[in-house]
Amino acid sequence: MAGIAFPRKRLRRNFTAETIAKRSRAFEQFLSHLHSIAEIRRSPEFLEFFFLQDLRAAQRLTCTGMYREALATWANAYRLQDRLGVCGSGRFLLTLAGLAVCHQELDELGEAHSCCEQALQLLEAQDSHPLLGPFLQAHVHLAWKVGKDKRRSEARLQGLQEAGLPLQQQPSLKECLIKEPLE
């Protein structure tokens, strides 16, 4: 940390463009340094510092039916998680669920379908993830609406049902999204 020095605060001129630019660069250096330490880079606290507030805000907006605003916030959380390389986490799947739900509510069915497909690729090797059934059901519904192939998702749903998963009692993707606690 010795190589990182934040510009000192002054009695005046703390909000000049030059001072703000210097402090921004120093903060970026600080974050880059933290990101270079593997233990910190992988810690949930470090990662969630960047996107947890967006997830909470997006969830709140989705719950209140403000889908256009929620979509922008989910999209920002998606970009941050993508850049941080945490696309395999549960939070990323929740983000894809948020994007899918908002796109669907806004009648952007092709985009909603794409989000479901991306989530199902991430869940390819998992048969017990709580979002798997809801993503599969949403994918089948959306594929039917946009005229895409749904046979693979239907077959996977049938396999889950034969394995004993009560699909009729599964919450929808929207219900999962609304009920997910984001602490």
Side-chain angles (χ1 to χ4, degrees):
M1 301 303 295
I4 299 172
F6 283 95
R8 300 183 127 211
K9 285 198 172 190
R10 302 177 187 150
L11 194 53
R12 294 182 185 184
R13 300 182 54 196
N14 281 320
F15 299 105
T16 65
E18 180 184 345
T19 302
I20 291 170
K22 283 181 185 177
R23 293 185 69 79
S24 268
R25 280 192 301 276
F27 187 59
E28 286 177 23
Q29 286 178 323
F30 171 71
L31 291 176
S32 290
H33 177 72
L34 287 177
H35 193 263
S36 71
I37 302 168
E39 294 80 25
I40 293 175
R41 181 177 57 244
R42 291 188 205 113
S43 76
E45 296 81 9
F46 177 78
L47 295 170
E48 290 180 354
F49 166 80
F50 293 99
F51 58 81
L52 188 57
Q53 289 300 82
D54 276 346
L55 293 180
R56 287 180 180 145
Q59 185 183 44
R60 218 174 11 260
L61 290 165
T62 303
C63 288
T64 58
M66 300 177 73
Y67 300 112
R68 180 79 48 211
E69 296 83 353
L71 183 60
T73 311
W74 287 118
N76 191 55
Y78 177 94
R79 282 188 299 276
L80 288 169
Q81 291 173 81
D82 186 43
R83 292 203 58 195
L84 289 166
V86 292
C87 298
S89 74
R91 300 278 199 216
F92 192 69
L93 288 168
L94 184 70
T95 303
L96 287 170
L99 288 167
V101 166
C102 289
H103 280 304
Q104 185 173 359
E105 293 294 333
L106 295 168
D107 254 353
E108 299 166 353
L109 303 182
E111 290 87 349
H113 179 264
S114 295
C115 292
C116 288
E117 284 200 332
Q118 186 177 358
L120 291 174
Q121 287 174 357
L122 292 171
L123 291 167
E124 189 73 38
Q126 299 182 42
D127 284 334
S128 62
H129 195 283
L131 288 174
L132 178 59
F135 266 121
L136 284 168
Q137 289 176 327
H139 185 260
V140 167
H141 174 75
L142 289 164
W144 179 77
K145 290 261 192 181
V146 297
K148 301 275 184 169
D149 187 15
K150 58 187 167 95
R151 289 176 291 187
R152 189 163 184 225
S153 290
E154 286 176 325
R156 195 158 180 207
L157 269 172
Q158 185 173 354
L160 291 175
Q161 196 164 18
E162 289 169 359
L165 185 68
L167 293 177
Q168 291 77 18
Q169 298 169 5
Q170 285 276 301
S172 70
L173 201 52
K174 187 175 182 180
E175 290 168 337
C176 289
L177 182 67
I178 290 170
K179 293 177 184 177
E180 179 68 26
L182 288 171
E183 288 117 26

